[in-house]
Amino acid sequence: MATAKKAAPRKTATKKAPVAKKTPVAKKAPKAAAPVSQGAAVEAFIGKLESWQQELVRELAALFAAEAPQASTYVKWGHPIWDHAGPFVLVKPARSHVLIGFWRGGQMKDAENILEGEGTGMRYLRLQSGQRPPASLGALVRQALVLNEKHGDPLKR
């Protein structure tokens, strides 16, 4: 014998309290970008180097600032980094030389073949005491900026 199912009690609609509409909040204007400088940390780093390295790294920093005025600088991984849309060049002093490394060096056109290394990533050149930066270094800095602007941060793959 089948039993009749009892109907479930009807849910009665409860009225919700009206929700007050949010009044739009005026958005704050974005802060103006801080002026780009070579930074106290980089200057302190340079101050600890041997005299020939100080002279060379200051010359490189001035070159990078002239070719990439929009770039920021900081000390990371134990050496100065220049960054615009990601790091593009580093300067790493060693005992007998100063290394200049380009993150996207393998993608750059190096007309004078001054960069060492293989593959599509980091390429570098070494300058020893008494050597000056090659004239084509400024063009390489400009290329590195264009590549970062086009492809983004080289550390994010």
Side-chain angles (χ1 to χ4, degrees):
M1 186 167 179
T3 58
K5 278 189 166 181
K6 290 185 181 179
R10 284 187 161 187
K11 291 184 180 178
T12 57
T14 57
K15 290 186 176 179
K16 294 183 181 178
V19 178
K21 290 186 178 180
K22 293 182 181 179
T23 54
V25 178
K27 292 183 180 179
K28 293 181 181 178
K31 291 183 180 180
V36 176
S37 68
Q38 292 302 313
V42 173
E43 190 54 43
F45 179 91
I46 293 171
K48 295 177 184 175
L49 301 174
E50 293 182 36
S51 62
W52 73 269
Q53 292 174 324
Q54 284 183 17
E55 181 182 329
L56 181 55
V57 174
R58 281 196 176 100
E59 185 176 350
L60 292 169
L63 172 73
F64 299 158
E67 297 296 338
Q70 70 275 39
S72 59
T73 60
Y74 47 86
V75 175
K76 188 171 184 177
W77 303 303
H79 47 268
I81 307 287
W82 281 260
D83 187 301
H84 178 71
F88 64 92
V89 68
L90 64 88
V91 172
K92 186 173 183 177
R95 184 169 295 181
S96 63
H97 64 271
V98 172
L99 182 135
I100 304 157
F102 290 94
W103 264 267
R104 297 185 188 276
Q107 300 170 14
M108 295 165 53
K109 293 177 184 166
D110 179 16
E112 293 182 13
N113 280 338
I114 62 172
L115 297 178
E116 300 176 44
E118 296 180 7
T120 59
M122 180 71 73
R123 295 282 174 93
Y124 56 90
L125 78 127
R126 295 179 183 139
L127 298 176
Q128 297 180 356
S129 177
Q131 287 185 302
R132 301 283 39 102
S136 62
L137 190 59
L140 293 173
V141 170
R142 290 189 301 274
Q143 282 187 64
L145 285 172
V146 169
L147 287 168
N148 269 17
E149 288 173 352
K150 181 178 180 182
H151 301 291
D153 189 338
L155 300 179
K156 296 181 180 173
R157 297 179 184 216

